Amino acid sequence: MRRSEYIGLAERLLEHEANNTTDSAEDTYTVPVADYLDEARWNNEMEAIFKRLPLMLAYTDELREPGSYKTIEAVGVPVLITRGKDGMVHAFLNVCSHRGAAVVTDECGTASRFMCPYHGWTFNDQGALIGVADKHKFGEVDTEAKGLKELACEERGGLIFVVLTPGVPMDIEAHLGGMLDEIESLGIENWHIYKQVELPGANWKVCYDGYLEGYHFATLHTNTIFTFSANNIMAYDSYGPHQRIGFPHHNLGELRTKPQEEWETGEGMSVIRTLFPHVSMAGSDQGGLISQLIPGPTPEQSRTIQTYIYAMQPSTDEERAAMDASVEMTVGAVRDEDYATGFGIQKGMSTGANEEFTFGKNELGLHKFHQWVNFYAEGKPESERPNP
Ligand code: FES
């Protein structure tokens, strides 16, 4: 994190802590519960948001060497991501151009060519069709036109972004805006994955809402997050649809006891950054938890891939034990507290008990998130683009 950004956040949080205030909206904000439940609405969200905006589907660390690849399915779309001999990342629909089988069926590996397991057509790591089995018996094939369908793909700041619809271009700089500097300042391209965990969740927005406020720390996370992080205080910034929230730790006030030059960047706070529409990044310059939230297969379901990724891997048994304990605490907090509550919300919504939810002024991140979902899912004109 850039030091100037840290100092700014720390000063804002110290002031909020002293005055028992928080960054907030001017008023409360209301959303219809139907927006979480309606299947047509959910389909619009998938088509207009998840199939057209850049999604973060891989890490540089997963595809470090030329020839490495990974597969992932997102909102029903099977994707193959490769790093070619040229060192560049490429993404394709993982769908054979013969009769549609998945060309690559394992999750990751190293290969310069991929043979479809059904009839043996072969593609290279740039997606070109380079071999048709028994071609003399098969007949003519326009190999140039029969490559894997390419998807727009960009690697920035250690993260690999893909657009799920062939032919839809990506302007990652325009999409991320000011958040790009934030990401690139972290140095994620040099981090290494320690552990990945997949968690089932309720509707994607129910889950995502939980990443955007600290109003629930004292009550829901009494014995986990709240043991170190204060409740209902935040320093909030948005970059278009992307958000950065600084949450003070209980020891933030110790900064008052020393000159600013001695404050260590990151000291006394957690920072959560969200990349619209589906990523939450929690941690410090030394790493932490990045969560990729993937909706479906129905409106009531989602899954979250948690990646614990750090600049330094533990090198002793003691360090490993400490890291395992930290990971276990975080997995438990999300799975048994946030997501367990999310499943309850899902059930509660279906009873009809609430026609709408009201987000408090202090839940500003949720206001912004839902305004941006509405903007895209309802196909609003540019003139109604939410304020950044
Ligand atoms: Fe892939 Fe036939 S479906 S070779």
Side-chain angles (χ1 to χ4, degrees):
M1 184 183 203
R2 291 160 292 174
R3 180 146 183 89
S4 58
E5 293 290 319
Y6 165 69
I7 297 291
L9 277 179
E11 286 178 335
R12 288 161 63 190
L13 288 173
L14 283 167
E15 194 172 334
H16 281 315
E17 188 193 48
N19 300 319
N20 193 20
T21 54
T22 184
D23 281 357
S24 60
E26 287 182 4
D27 207 345
T28 58
Y29 183 81
T30 300
V31 298
V33 168
D35 281 2
Y36 291 88
L37 296 173
D38 185 74
E39 192 159 348
R41 163 84 191 198
W42 185 82
N43 285 328
N44 283 347
E45 291 167 0
M46 296 307 102
E47 293 301 320
I49 298 173
F50 279 85
K51 292 189 180 170
R52 298 195 73 84
L53 297 182
L55 304 182
M56 196 283 279
L57 295 187
Y59 299 87
T60 294
D61 192 45
E62 292 179 295
L63 295 155
R64 215 166 264 292
E65 302 304 324
S68 53
Y69 67 88
K70 78 169 268 190
T71 58
I72 184 169
E73 186 172 317
V75 294
V77 180
V79 178
L80 168 65
I81 307 173
T82 67
R83 187 178 297 282
K85 286 191 223 50
D86 55 0
M88 304 295 288
V89 288
H90 307 271
F92 310 94
L93 291 179
N94 185 16
V95 178
C96 182
S97 56
H98 174 217
R99 280 170 44 204
V103 174
V104 184
T105 53
D106 48 1
E107 289 181 358
C108 58
T110 306
S112 58
R113 53 180 55 198
F114 304 99
M115 190 175 77
C116 177
Y118 200 175
H119 310 94
W121 284 25
T122 305
F123 303 85
N124 69 15
D125 57 15
Q126 318 270 322
L129 175 61
I130 56 171
V132 174
D134 281 350
K135 195 174 176 185
H136 66 291
K137 293 182 187 170
F138 187 90
E140 276 308 306
V141 177
D142 181 355
T143 50
E144 291 236 335
K146 288 287 187 179
L148 297 177
K149 282 279 183 301
E150 186 150 18
L151 304 172
C153 182
E154 288 266 357
E155 181 174 32
R156 297 301 290 264
L159 307 176
I160 296 168
F161 297 86
V162 176
V163 174
L164 292 179
T165 302
V168 174
M170 181 190 319
D171 183 343
I172 197 65
E173 292 184 4
H175 176 67
L176 290 174
M179 183 55 90
L180 186 55
D181 287 343
E182 278 282 308
I183 296 171
E184 291 186 331
S185 73
L186 295 171
I188 300 170
E189 63 274 21
N190 300 316
W191 294 3
H192 298 283
I193 294 171
Y194 181 68
K195 189 168 187 175
Q196 286 187 307
V197 177
E198 190 166 310
L199 302 177
N203 171 275
W204 75 282
K205 291 185 295 189
V206 169
C207 295
Y208 209 67
D209 287 347
Y211 292 101
L212 299 172
E213 45 89 1
Y215 183 33
H216 65 285
F217 288 175
T219 39
L220 188 63
H221 297 310
T222 316
N223 299 314
T224 52
I225 313 293
F226 186 59
T227 59
F228 59 86
S229 194
N231 190 60
N232 204 15
I233 297 175
M234 67 175 180
Y236 177 89
D237 297 286
S238 60
Y239 307 81
H242 318 293
Q243 310 188 28
R244 183 188 71 185
I245 309 177
F247 294 112
H249 289 182
H250 296 302
N251 66 356
L252 179 77
E254 291 172 13
L255 295 179
R256 293 193 182 90
T257 65
K258 53 188 179 183
Q260 202 173 83
E261 311 81 75
E262 292 176 22
W263 296 2
E264 285 185 34
T265 302
E267 186 180 359
M269 71 174 75
S270 299
V271 178
I272 293 189
R273 297 168 177 86
T274 55
L275 308 183
F276 188 85
H278 76 133
V279 171
S280 162
M281 309 167 68
S284 69
D285 292 9
Q286 296 306 304
L289 166 62
I290 302 182
S291 304
Q292 296 158 282
L293 214 162
I294 299 176
T298 69
E300 300 79 30
Q301 295 170 279
S302 66
R303 73 185 208 275
T304 296
I305 303 167
Q306 288 191 330
T307 300
Y308 295 86
I309 182 167
Y310 302 100
M312 300 285 291
Q313 294 293 299
S315 57
T316 65
D317 287 348
E318 206 175 8
E319 286 175 2
R320 254 185 298 280
M323 191 164 281
D324 285 341
S326 165
V327 168
E328 197 178 324
M329 187 279 288
T330 309
V331 171
V334 177
R335 180 192 57 212
D336 304 334
E337 296 170 2
D338 289 306
Y339 281 23
T341 300
F343 284 122
I345 291 170
Q346 190 73 48
K347 196 175 288 179
M349 289 194 303
S350 67
T351 65
N354 294 300
E355 287 187 4
E356 58 188 30
F357 289 149
T358 300
F359 303 143
K361 293 189 288 185
N362 56 336
E363 297 175 297
L364 171 59
L366 281 77
H367 301 208
K368 296 279 187 184
F369 170 56
H370 286 264
Q371 287 164 5
W372 280 99
V373 171
N374 293 348
F375 173 73
Y376 285 110
E378 294 171 12
K380 292 186 175 185
E382 279 299 309
S383 59
E384 292 183 33
R385 182 171 280 267
N387 291 328

